[in-house]
Amino acid sequence: MKSKSEKTFQQCINAACRTTFGVREVLVACPKCGDLLDVAYDWSRVRVPKKLSAFQKRWASRNNRLDFSGVWRFRELLDFCDDELKVTLGEGQTILQQNDALANYVGLRAGGLHLQYEGLNPSGSFKDNGMAAAFSHARMVGARRVACASTGNTSASLALYAAHSGLQAIVFVGSGRIAFGKLAQALDYGARTLQIAGDFDACMRRVKEASARLGLYLVNSVNPFRLEGQKTIMYRILEGLGWEVPDWIVAPGGNLGNSSAFGKAFAELKELGLIDRVPRLAVINATGADTLDRLVNQKKLTWNAGRYDRQAILDDWKWQDTANRPPHTIASAIEIARPVNAAKCLRALEVCHGVVRSVSDEDILNAKAQVGRCGLGCEPASAASVAGAKLLVAGGVIDPAERVVCVLTGHALKDPDATVGYHTGKYPAGKEVAGRRLFANMPIPVADDLEAICAIIERQT
Ligand code: F0G
């Protein structure tokens, strides 16, 4: 239980429960009702700056490790641990890039599209924002072994932070379901890597069971401290826009931790009076892993002020089993059928007046090729945000004159098989993608002969 003196605590999200717990308790669900937990703050006791622009002053003191971190630079907004316990690898040095060529592809006016490039993090994905926060909590509670289930990026990030912190890393990945760049990282950073004969959802179930039995510290996004770190992606977007709120944030949806954290960030900033309006949120599924789309658009599930229909989510899980509908998408990072943060994401959608859409693998890969060609680069799941924005503009949901930020969640080098497969037309086994490869850039075979080489270089097309 939370003690009265704590300014930060944990709290069940469910309106019918709302039980509170101390900040030092290690929980991944409410012990009373089983729902998800939040990190909550008594804001009257946190020293939050009066204006967001105050955080910018910390750019001037970047020799302080906490001011250098793109997570801890905003530490008053995630004030759950003492400074000396805070873990950082310099995460969050990510930039907001405006890109007019891509705006044109999406159907927006020049100046209207920004990309939040989270691939620039130390392990190459947005997960590092969350890991800095989760590892700080792990240190707070004296954890020795840290674990996660992963489609790849969480395992890479966990493995990197564990290697730096001297903790033992244990990662659960679905056999054959993880992109090579990510598997390479987990192995190289020394994580004990368990290839489970099953998909991500099976890994998630088993890692929860194993953590409960062996006392492993779980850093999946059911860990509320991890999501606190991911709020900072939104702070950096606001910073990149001179503290102006964009019209739309568009993000891919997998386990739905990111979108949940984004909604929480904006709800808190609004409550604190640091912003005067919240942006709209678009969460983009792959059509082969479209649980959120189904829950929101077909089953009309809403947060309903915390009294959401939990049974409807569980019924959907059951229906998936009987319908024998395993998730399948080239965007392996979001190949998830039972998103653990579905309820928190419903809340984010309510806070941000959000929408959910699904995009095909073909649209994802074409958008990814455009992101590369426009000088950014990302992995397939990240490109779902760009494909989703394009779909929403075409459908008249996003106005071409609005200001849109797509979150590019992971680096292009994470999944070289998908990229080379797209450009050469040879997809890895089991990942066959039908359809048109609009921007394929085939390698050109040529003899070891200068005349032939020069002729090809000079050729017009
Ligand atoms: N984009 C990338 C590159 C990801 O790795 C993930 C999730 C997402 C988007 C979706 O984010 O889960 O917060 O909705 N990857 C997790 C993993 C599941 O294990 O690495 P989400």
Side-chain angles (χ1 to χ4, degrees):
M1 281 298 134
K2 155 191 192 282
S3 83
K4 282 212 161 42
S5 62
E6 286 185 294
K7 66 180 174 192
T8 306
F9 49 97
Q10 300 183 68
Q11 185 163 40
C12 177
I13 64 165
N14 199 301
C17 179
R18 303 292 284 161
T19 309
T20 57
F21 305 92
V23 78
R24 284 190 170 69
E25 292 184 64
V26 179
L27 300 165
V28 290
C30 174
K32 229 170 141 189
C33 77
D35 215 325
L36 296 164
L37 295 169
D38 266 336
V39 179
Y41 305 92
D42 175 355
W43 291 115
S44 67
R45 298 169 60 200
V46 181
R47 288 159 59 97
V48 179
K50 294 214 164 20
K51 278 185 172 175
L52 279 172
S53 55
F55 289 113
Q56 213 168 316
K57 300 210 174 82
R58 291 189 169 143
W59 283 91
S61 48
R62 285 165 73 79
N63 53 347
N64 169 339
R65 68 183 194 110
L66 298 183
D67 289 351
F68 183 77
S69 164
V71 168
W72 297 119
R73 195 144 50 81
F74 300 98
R75 51 194 170 272
E76 288 80 0
L77 296 169
L78 52 156
D79 187 12
F80 64 82
C81 85
D82 293 339
D83 282 357
E84 57 277 15
L85 290 174
K86 289 185 173 115
V87 172
T88 175
L89 296 185
E91 58 288 320
Q93 307 305 312
T94 61
I95 42 175
L96 186 73
Q97 295 198 345
Q98 189 190 306
N99 192 304
D100 285 346
L102 209 54
N104 186 43
Y105 175 71
V106 167
L108 292 166
R109 289 209 191 130
L113 181 66
H114 290 77
L115 293 307
Q116 177 65 18
Y117 195 14
E118 289 299 308
L120 294 178
N121 272 295
S123 81
S125 86
F126 72 91
K127 304 284 179 180
D128 296 346
N129 296 288
M131 231 37 91
F135 270 74
S136 302
H137 187 252
R139 277 182 82 187
M140 234 173 118
V141 300
R144 286 183 307 112
R145 296 191 291 184
V146 286
C148 72
S150 182
T151 55
N153 281 324
T154 305
S155 61
S157 181
L158 173 148
L160 184 63
Y161 277 77
H164 272 269
S165 313
L167 301 182
Q168 192 191 342
I170 302 146
V171 304
F172 290 49
V173 297
S175 198
R177 301 207 176 228
I178 167 172
F180 249 52
K182 307 173 189 182
L183 180 60
Q185 288 178 289
L187 298 177
D188 212 37
Y189 303 149
R192 184 168 293 189
T193 305
L194 308 182
Q195 288 190 299
I196 309 292
D199 60 11
F200 173 81
D201 300 287
C203 291
M204 193 68 231
R205 185 168 64 237
R206 294 301 181 203
V207 78
K208 275 186 183 167
E209 291 167 355
S211 299
R213 183 184 298 185
L214 303 175
L216 313 175
Y217 184 91
L218 189 61
V219 299
N220 277 105
S221 47
V222 284
N223 177 327
F225 294 93
R226 209 191 94 189
L227 294 189
E228 290 305 286
Q230 288 171 218
K231 291 190 309 191
T232 64
I233 302 169
M234 295 301 106
Y235 307 152
R236 296 198 299 272
I237 287 176
L238 295 178
E239 188 177 42
L241 294 173
W243 307 109
E244 282 179 20
V245 179
D247 297 308
W248 286 91
I249 302 285
V250 189
N255 225 3
L256 305 177
N258 235 3
S259 39
S260 301
F262 298 170
K264 186 170 189 283
F266 288 118
E268 289 173 350
L269 292 181
K270 186 86 190 349
E271 185 189 338
L272 288 164
L274 291 168
I275 51 175
D276 52 11
R277 68 180 179 96
V278 296
R280 294 192 69 186
L281 175 68
V283 184
I284 312 298
N285 278 164
T287 45
D290 59 351
T291 303
L292 184 72
D293 186 1
R294 189 169 54 252
L295 292 176
V296 169
N297 294 321
Q298 283 178 33
K299 304 203 170 148
K300 307 290 177 205
L301 231 67
T302 61
W303 171 242
N304 192 21
R307 297 187 184 276
Y308 70 98
D309 186 352
R310 198 158 149 199
Q311 192 55 44
I313 298 179
L314 299 174
D315 287 348
D316 187 84
W317 286 190
K318 245 188 257 155
W319 170 78
Q320 290 182 31
D321 286 338
T322 49
N324 189 20
R325 212 169 166 278
H328 185 79
T329 167
I330 188 88
S332 57
I334 52 173
E335 193 181 71
I336 295 175
R338 296 162 193 235
V340 295
N341 289 297
K344 279 189 179 177
C345 183
L346 292 177
R347 181 176 66 181
L349 291 169
E350 184 170 290
V351 168
C352 298
H353 188 30
V355 298
V356 181
R357 292 291 185 275
S358 297
V359 288
S360 68
D361 282 6
E362 180 181 338
D363 289 345
I364 287 174
L365 288 177
N366 284 326
K368 180 179 123 51
Q370 277 296 300
V371 172
R373 201 171 271 198
C374 293
L376 290 153
C378 67
E379 66 167 283
S382 315
S385 62
V386 175
K390 185 171 166 61
L391 182 74
L392 288 163
V393 173
V397 181
I398 296 180
D399 188 276
E402 287 187 299
R403 184 144 69 157
V404 178
V405 179
C406 290
V407 183
L408 296 183
T409 46
H411 200 279
L413 294 176
K414 290 281 190 175
D415 193 350
D417 285 347
T419 306
V420 176
Y422 174 85
H423 289 294
T424 60
K426 292 189 197 110
Y427 292 98
K431 293 276 186 193
E432 208 62 36
V433 176
R436 290 167 308 142
R437 297 174 295 115
L438 294 178
F439 312 109
N441 180 22
M442 286 283 272
I444 305 162
V446 56
D448 180 11
D449 174 85
L450 186 61
E451 292 309 315
I453 291 168
C454 291
I456 285 178
I457 294 171
E458 295 287 9
R459 206 163 66 193
Q460 288 309 309
T461 52

